[in-house]
Structures are given as structure tokens and as C-alpha cells.
Amino acid sequence: MDERTARDEICRVGRSLFERGYVHATAGNISVRLADGYLITPTDACLGTLEPDRLARLDAEGRQVSGDRGSKTIVLHRRIYAASAATGQAARCVIHTHSTHLVACSLQADGAAGGRLADDAELLPAVTPYFVMKVGHVPHIPYHRPGAPEAAECVARAIERHAAAGHPIRAVMLARLGPNVWHDHPAAAMATLEELEETARLCLLTRIPPLGAPQIDELRQVFGASW
């Protein structure tokens, strides 16, 4: 994706997410990895009113070279890009939101754990086949303040751990904050986020047991699911 297309896609996806309630006010951010750097939404920007030429342009080292001041979450996004590339499934777009149902699930889980989530904690069970196929495992990262470098390191370790286990991930949940999802381009990352938020909504509405091992194995064999 060339830079002009990436700028337009970030704004289109941001507006779509805002208009459908996946983000609110100035919450959330989107970045794209370019051949020689990054684009990221400006700090405190509303994703519903982004302007292509005002997006922050950063060089390959994460230093800003043009546009409005970039979101502080570039630290986390760069760790996701680096860690995913090291596993052989390099991300090209990262989206972070404060999606309501996902945050609600996180509040419940973090509260039940007394704020001490285990390193291998997961946010959601495998309740639907499309969650298994389109999203996969979603590690629930223990709470850190917004922008904390410790959160970025926890996310990187989760990416490495799941890749080593044979089921690479496309999303993590930051406890009490919101999800980070990544994919090849903004539209694909948005679709992953949509499936993830819908699964969270279903989990809050129902208490259905997850799919069993034979059902998940069938999804692996027929559709190549990496669960």
C-alpha cells in the first residue's frame, strides 16, 4: 500500500469505526507500517474527523517527521510490528479502540482476578466458529497505565509465546483499556476488530459453553484455523 492510499484508508476506517460506535470522543488510534516508516493518528484526535494530510508521519526509528503530533501508542504499535515480523506474519496495520463490550468483558475478568491476571490469561472462550477462524486466541494483558512501555513488552512476549505454540495471534486485550488488533491492511484489521467485539457482546449476553476440541480440530482441518 502506497502512502497516499494508506492515509486515505486510515481516515476511512477511522470514520467508519466512529460512526458505528466502536470508538468515542478521542479514544482509539490507527497506524500503518510503510516501507520506510509509519503513519499514525494524532494524539487526542477523533477518529471520526481525521484528515489525511494531518496524520503523523514517522521515520523507521519512530521519530516524527511531519503532520500533527503522533499518538503515544506508537511505542506499543512498533513492538507489535516488530514482534509479528519476527514470527513470519508481519502486521501492516494496528488498530486500538475502547470498544464497549470488550472493555466490559475485561472489567469483569480483571475484577474476578483481583487485578492480577495470569500471563496466559485469555479474554474470550472459543464460542463461535468465526471467532476461532477470523480472530483466534486473544491474550488478556495485565493492567498498565495508558502508554506504559511495560504493556508493550507484555504484548510482544504474548505474540512470541503464541507463535512458538503454533497459533499466531492477531489481537490482544489491554486490561481495562481496550483491544489492539493487527492485520495486512486497515480494512482487514477493522474486520478482525468487528468479529472480536461481536464475540464479546455474545459472551456478555449468553453463558453458552465453548466449542469442544473435536469441533475446533475440524475448523483447523477444513479452514486452516490457527487456534
Side-chain angles (χ1 to χ4, degrees):
M1 183 180 295
D2 63 82
E3 183 172 336
R4 175 48 57 185
T5 301
R7 287 178 180 273
D8 291 341
E9 273 294 277
I10 288 173
C11 295
R12 183 188 70 80
V13 166
R15 182 170 61 253
S16 177
L17 292 173
F18 182 82
E19 290 175 348
R20 293 181 294 137
Y22 287 89
V23 293
H24 61 275
T26 58
N29 43 75
I30 305 171
S31 72
V32 166
R33 184 174 187 175
L34 303 170
D36 59 350
Y38 309 88
L39 292 171
I40 191 166
T41 49
T43 187
D44 292 329
C46 172
L47 296 193
T49 57
L50 297 171
E51 299 176 30
D53 292 335
R54 297 185 64 176
L55 298 176
R57 176 68 154 90
L58 287 68
D59 66 16
E61 302 303 317
R63 297 179 294 247
Q64 184 152 349
V65 296
S66 65
D68 292 349
R69 182 162 63 92
S71 170
K72 62 182 175 296
T73 58
I74 188 59
V75 174
L76 171 56
H77 288 213
R78 291 185 69 217
R79 292 294 284 127
I80 291 172
Y81 288 125
S84 64
T87 68
Q89 293 194 336
R92 292 295 175 184
C93 175
V94 177
I95 297 177
H96 168 62
T97 71
H98 297 178
S99 303
T100 303
H101 296 95
L102 284 163
V103 175
C105 286
S106 175
L107 291 173
Q108 288 185 354
D110 197 46
R116 293 182 292 275
L117 292 167
D119 286 344
D120 59 351
E122 291 205 23
L123 180 66
L124 300 169
V127 292
T128 71
Y130 275 88
F131 174 63
V132 172
M133 294 187 294
K134 302 296 185 181
V135 183
H137 292 276
V138 182
H140 199 178
I141 306 300
Y143 176 78
H144 297 86
R145 64 164 174 80
E150 296 86 354
E153 292 307 310
C154 287
V155 171
R157 289 197 297 271
I159 292 171
E160 294 162 359
R161 182 171 64 251
H162 280 267
H167 40 74
I169 58 176
R170 291 200 180 278
V172 296
M173 181 70 189
L174 304 181
R176 299 175 181 256
L177 291 175
N180 279 266
V181 302
W182 54 92
H183 216 296
D184 299 335
H185 51 83
M190 179 168 64
T192 301
L193 173 67
E194 291 167 340
E195 191 67 44
L196 179 54
E197 171 70 357
E198 179 64 13
T199 304
R201 188 170 77 93
L202 292 171
C203 286
L204 290 171
L205 290 172
T206 69
R207 289 294 179 267
I208 190 169
L211 295 170
Q215 296 164 315
I216 291 176
D217 189 55
E218 183 181 27
L219 295 174
R220 291 192 186 103
Q221 294 181 32
V222 177
F223 299 107
S226 61
W227 187 276

